Amino acid sequence: MFSRSSTFGRCAAVLAVAALMPATVADAASRDKRFFESVAGIWKGPGEIVAGKYKGTKFTCNLTGLPAEGKETGLKLDGTCRVGVFSQPMSAVISQSGGSYKGQFLDGADGKGLDIVSGTVTGNRAVMGINRAKLNGAMVARIEENDAMNITISVKVEDRMIPVIGLKLNRQATAMAEND
């Protein structure tokens, strides 16, 4: 049997945790928003296809990221990636959907791109689930310092995630400087 004082103590602890839960959700949303705001800016850097048919292909990307407008959490990314003299437009839209993320690269899985079907932000790292038909994978973006970001795109093969694209970007300017 529980004594009255231990029951009161447990109830008080449960109420304290319950009172903190909305703040925790709000803190997570605020943390995610800060991450995407930190990614906003002009980025440039080299990448390489590290697996598959085009393994060894090197490219360079010039990308501009803008945070989602208003109270939304997410990012809009536009730019180009270039291999030799050939240039390919690159775009992505990532937006918060409940406790996860959704969006698309290029024109999504219905076109020539990929769908973003899930995502989480933890500290300086975002992990987005990507999908196109039977292809599933993940895009991991990690901020190193304030002016460097590493992006890895991996695909799921059987029960393993295989990295296929690696990209190292350096910040050229912040989004604020671009808008001035």
Side-chain angles (χ1 to χ4, degrees):
M1 292 242 112
F2 295 115
S3 70
R4 184 174 280 199
S5 64
S6 70
T7 302
F8 176 77
R10 286 191 175 112
C11 287
V14 168
L15 288 173
V17 168
L20 291 175
M21 286 179 76
T24 304
V25 171
D27 289 346
S30 175
R31 179 192 63 231
D32 288 11
K33 191 165 182 73
R34 281 192 308 272
F35 173 83
F36 286 109
E37 287 172 349
S38 76
V39 174
I42 299 171
W43 298 86
K44 182 178 182 178
E48 182 175 354
I49 298 173
V50 296
K53 182 178 179 179
Y54 299 103
K55 180 179 179 176
T57 301
K58 296 181 187 306
F59 56 92
T60 301
C61 293
N62 292 302
L63 306 167
T64 299
L66 297 173
E69 294 181 4
K71 292 184 179 183
E72 286 196 33
T73 298
L75 180 75
K76 182 175 185 209
L77 187 70
D78 281 305
T80 58
C81 291
R82 182 176 49 82
V83 175
V85 297
F86 300 102
S87 199
Q88 171 71 37
M90 185 58 58
S91 65
V93 175
I94 302 170
S95 61
Q96 193 168 37
S97 176
S100 188
Y101 288 87
K102 65 179 181 175
Q104 61 187 32
F105 286 99
L106 298 175
D107 53 356
D110 289 338
K112 295 183 179 184
L114 298 164
D115 287 338
I116 297 169
V117 296
S118 64
T120 59
V121 175
T122 306
N124 66 343
R125 186 174 101 151
V127 179
M128 300 292 144
I130 55 176
N131 174 270
R132 177 180 175 86
K134 294 181 180 180
L135 174 77
N136 291 299
M139 187 270 319
V140 178
R142 189 177 69 246
I143 303 287
E144 294 185 2
E145 303 163 11
N146 283 332
D147 295 327
M149 179 170 40
N150 290 322
I151 298 173
T152 304
I153 297 175
S154 302
V155 296
K156 189 168 188 170
V157 177
E158 294 176 7
D159 61 346
R160 296 179 47 213
M161 293 296 281
I162 308 295
V164 292
I165 296 175
L167 184 59
K168 288 182 169 257
L169 299 171
N170 292 303
R171 187 185 308 271
Q172 306 299 301
T174 65
M176 298 302 175
E178 176 194 336
N179 293 331
D180 289 343

